[in-house]
Amino acid sequence: MMATVRLSFSPAPVHVRTARLVGVAVARRAGVAEELLDEVRLAIGEACTRAVTLHRQYGLTDLVTVEMSDSDSYTVRVIDHAPIEASVGLAKLPPDELADESLTDDALTTGVGFALLAGFVDDLQVRPVDDGPGTEVRMIWPVTRR
């Protein structure tokens, strides 16, 4: 049975913890292996922190959306509404440029977030949203059916 859980929250850092907790609970119910749950928690936290940071950096009040679904895998989508060039440009910065002291804390958080996500998630996709500005970060984990 496929289930989808959708959360939308204002771009405030305090809501990231809630998204992580819900994400891990849904992952557990979906059948994600126990040894992957820390990875799920960290990845959802990074993706949501990145979205909140971008919204705050651009003064956006749009809601950040997190969708979690299970079918043949556990899929989490984190959607922001920041200008796409803000997201993609930093994702392409080499590590030595991420260490540049002229980068703002918010810009650094966004760029490092992609690097951390790539370390946590084997199946990671980052793409523009279908309608309007924004980015979708899609993370997928295997599930085992009981």
Side-chain angles (χ1 to χ4, degrees):
M1 180 174 105
M2 186 172 131
T4 299
V5 174
R6 182 181 175 120
L7 298 173
S8 295
F9 57 89
S10 61
V14 68
H15 299 305
V16 172
R17 181 175 187 270
T18 302
R20 280 194 317 248
L21 291 171
V22 172
V24 169
V26 175
R28 184 174 279 125
R29 185 191 74 206
V32 173
E34 195 69 31
E35 60 269 15
L36 294 177
L37 294 179
D38 277 345
E39 176 183 298
V40 169
R41 180 180 56 80
L42 292 168
I44 291 172
E46 278 303 317
C48 289
T49 296
R50 183 196 149 280
V52 166
T53 299
L54 283 170
H55 278 225
R56 294 168 67 90
Q57 182 179 345
Y58 285 90
L60 303 174
T61 57
D62 303 58
L63 299 177
V64 172
T65 302
V66 181
E67 290 182 357
M68 297 158 260
S69 61
D70 61 17
S71 53
D72 295 335
S73 59
Y74 176 56
T75 302
V76 178
R77 297 171 58 224
V78 178
I79 301 165
D80 69 69
H81 300 285
I84 189 71
E85 61 275 6
S87 299
V88 177
L90 280 169
K92 295 179 180 174
L93 281 180
D96 58 328
E97 287 185 39
L98 285 173
D100 183 343
E101 290 181 18
S102 67
L103 286 176
T104 65
D105 287 344
D106 284 347
L108 187 60
T109 296
T110 303
V112 171
F114 278 126
L116 289 172
L117 280 171
F120 295 142
V121 185
D122 290 337
D123 193 346
L124 172 68
Q125 301 161 20
V126 180
R127 63 182 200 87
V129 296
D130 292 332
D131 53 343
T135 305
E136 172 188 315
V137 175
R138 181 183 306 229
M139 303 167 285
I140 302 172
W141 290 273
V143 297
T144 53
R145 299 291 179 210
R146 295 174 198 147

